[in-house]
Amino acid sequence: MDLTPATPAPRLGALARLAPEPMKVVLNWGRRYSLWVFNFGLACCAIEFIAASMSRHDFIRLGVIPFAPGPRQADLMVVSGTVTDKMAPAVKRLYEQMPEPKYVISFGACSNCGGPYWDSYAVTKGVDQIIPVDVYVPGCPPRPEALLQGILKLQEKIAEESTAERYAPAAASPAALTGPLVLPGEDGR
């Protein structure tokens, strides 16, 4: 009788191996229902984002906290509107300032692919050329209900997320977790 597994065991990062499965479920549940949003509103779609946060649509009931003070306190960036080539470095810089785990919703045709301005020399043909996008919400401009649906899709994605897969490239070895502290000046700063 052959006792070797049919498929190789998945490779997990050091931190993912240490966390029990129920803890992963709890962490994903917390991420799913406490999304602090940073709206990067560039055009008319930003008005629809504001409408989605008001009392009629009220995405707070979905666990989305609107208007984080800045990117350093945000989990979710909603890019809404036309991203121009001149604005692209600012979008990327703000995305890089967000702490992990971070998510992006591209809201509207302009943000998705350039929209009606796709043939302009100054328009970026989609925010996904600059930063990774988790959910695309189509429309010109999309209705607030479409943003709610996009948030629900993102929450489903977060619930199914594996910490091992998400952090595998940056996962540390067990030896690195118990290694000596890096003193100031040793890291090149």
Side-chain angles (χ1 to χ4, degrees), residues 76-117:
L76 170 62
M77 175 189 265
V78 177
V79 181
S80 52
T82 309
V83 181
T84 61
D85 292 341
K86 191 170 187 176
M87 189 55 77
V91 173
K92 183 172 178 135
R93 187 176 325 113
L94 290 172
Y95 174 79
E96 290 170 351
Q97 290 176 359
M98 292 172 61
E100 286 288 343
K102 52 188 168 185
Y103 308 98
V104 176
I105 292 179
S106 177
F107 185 60
C110 292
S111 178
N112 292 346
C113 63
Y117 313 107

Side-chain angles (χ1 to χ4, degrees), residues 158-173:
I158 293 170
E160 297 169 2
E161 192 171 60
S162 165
T163 52
E165 291 173 6
R166 182 160 186 90
Y167 300 108
S173 67

